[in-house]
Amino acid sequence: MRVIVHLSDIHFGRVDPALIGPLSGVITRIAPDLVAVSGDLTQRARRSEFTAARRFLDGLPFPRLAVPGNHDVPLYNVVARLATPLDRYKRFITDDLSPVYRDEEVIVVGVNTARAFTWGETVRSFTLGEGRINEEQVDGIVGHLSGAPRDCIRIVVTHHPFDLPEGVREERLIGRAAMAMAKLSAAGADLFLAGHLHISHIGHTAERYQINGHSALIVQAGTVSTRSRGEQPSFNVLRIERPQISVERFVWDPATHMFAETAASIFRHTGAGWSSAQ
């Protein structure tokens, strides 16, 4: 079995400091094989925010894989946004924008979907926020997934999501999603981890893409910041042992000042792909 803690949208600069100790503590007790962070470690890509993010990550004595989010790109410094959009992220977090973690049971591939200028929220006459994935990036992921042993669970980590909860506008979907999913499904992708929306969500690729009966899981983490969308701060814990994946959601309880586990969603792999076992 492999255990992955899935964090997203921590937003140092907009996180309640009172949560950080309990968050580190519960992750340490879980003792994951991997901590996967799907972007937006900071609120405005400031040095102080990246310093706090790095301090937090260094306090977790586990392998980690991180990808940047749109908030990890400078907002108001247009020169830096154009010339060196991820300079601080690479300096403080990692200079690897295509990270890979692999062992005997899982292969996890991260990819940068943050862009300096994309269609999305309008700020001072330019647009930003929504992300894209390009064909070269997809081909790189496919190379890693295709080279993994047959029984490995194949996982892709992005900031921007491949699926959307009900009520979220379609523009929030990662750009070039259909192209990417066609190639990644052929490479046997089992699981997609993302964030960005600050809403917890689990979906199946078959519901949106309907590619040759392929059904992978799409798991979205909420946020642990104060930028909630009606949810308490939360993160996911995945327990993976083919042919089963369980997804547990740990939610902040203001009464106890702790993160408490909610009921797990359990999925099994069949000839039709991943489906609910409950």
Side-chain angles (χ1 to χ4, degrees):
M1 176 184 289
R2 292 295 180 264
V3 178
I4 297 177
V5 164
H6 175 207
L7 290 168
S8 197
D9 299 84
I10 306 173
H11 287 285
F12 277 95
R14 284 290 301 275
V15 66
D16 183 348
L19 271 67
I20 297 304
L23 179 60
S24 297
V26 70
I27 293 173
T28 299
R29 289 192 294 275
I30 292 168
D33 298 287
L34 177 69
V35 176
V37 187
S38 55
D40 278 1
L41 286 92
T42 67
Q43 174 63 11
R44 288 291 176 240
R46 297 188 174 101
R47 290 183 183 88
S48 59
E49 295 169 354
F50 275 119
T51 298
R54 182 57 185 261
R55 185 183 307 118
F56 167 71
L57 293 175
D58 285 348
L60 301 175
F62 311 103
R64 67 174 177 258
L65 180 149
V67 297
N70 52 289
H71 278 262
D72 298 320
V73 175
L75 177 59
Y76 297 116
N77 186 335
V78 179
V79 173
R81 190 175 184 90
L82 280 171
T84 55
L86 289 171
D87 181 66
R88 288 179 182 169
Y89 176 89
K90 291 191 286 187
R91 192 186 324 159
F92 286 93
I93 306 302
T94 176
D95 61 1
D96 187 355
L97 300 181
S98 303
V100 179
Y101 171 88
R102 55 166 59 86
D103 62 26
E104 296 82 4
E105 295 188 38
V106 299
I107 178 167
V108 187
V109 184
V111 60
N112 169 35
T113 60
R115 299 293 187 263
F117 295 95
T118 53
W119 298 108
E121 176 188 0
T122 299
V123 177
R124 294 185 179 181
S125 80
F126 58 83
T127 55
L128 63 146
E130 308 312 331
R132 290 177 63 81
I133 190 167
N134 62 43
E135 200 156 3
E136 182 180 0
Q137 289 176 307
V138 174
D139 289 343
I141 299 170
V142 167
H144 289 296
L145 299 187
S146 299
R150 178 181 175 184
D151 289 337
C152 265
I153 299 292
R154 291 160 166 78
I155 304 170
V156 178
V157 181
T158 61
H159 178 60
H160 298 85
F162 277 93
D163 193 29
L164 301 170
E166 185 176 352
V168 176
R169 67 183 191 275
E170 286 293 307
E171 291 81 3
R172 308 304 305 275
L173 198 70
I174 187 172
R176 305 206 72 188
M179 174 277 294
M181 190 58 68
K183 292 190 172 188
L184 295 173
S185 64
D190 294 290
L191 176 62
F192 294 83
L193 304 181
H196 187 52
L197 303 180
H198 299 193
I199 302 171
S200 303
H201 175 65
I202 302 175
H204 297 81
T205 59
E207 296 169 358
R208 177 177 290 273
Y209 299 96
Q210 301 178 358
I211 300 172
N212 297 326
H214 179 257
S215 183
L217 294 177
I218 302 177
V219 176
Q220 189 162 306
T223 178
V224 296
S225 76
T226 59
R227 303 182 71 244
S228 67
R229 301 290 187 267
E231 295 184 357
Q232 287 291 338
S234 67
F235 66 94
N236 296 326
V237 176
L238 298 103
R239 303 184 188 276
I240 300 170
E241 187 172 20
R242 187 178 286 277
Q244 181 168 297
I245 296 175
S246 73
V247 183
E248 301 163 1
R249 187 165 170 253
F250 280 68
V251 180
W252 177 250
D253 182 351
T256 62
H257 298 281
M258 296 175 61
F259 283 90
E261 178 188 349
T262 62
S265 299
I266 301 173
F267 304 89
R268 291 186 66 83
H269 192 266
T270 68
W274 292 94
S275 59
S276 176
Q278 297 170 312

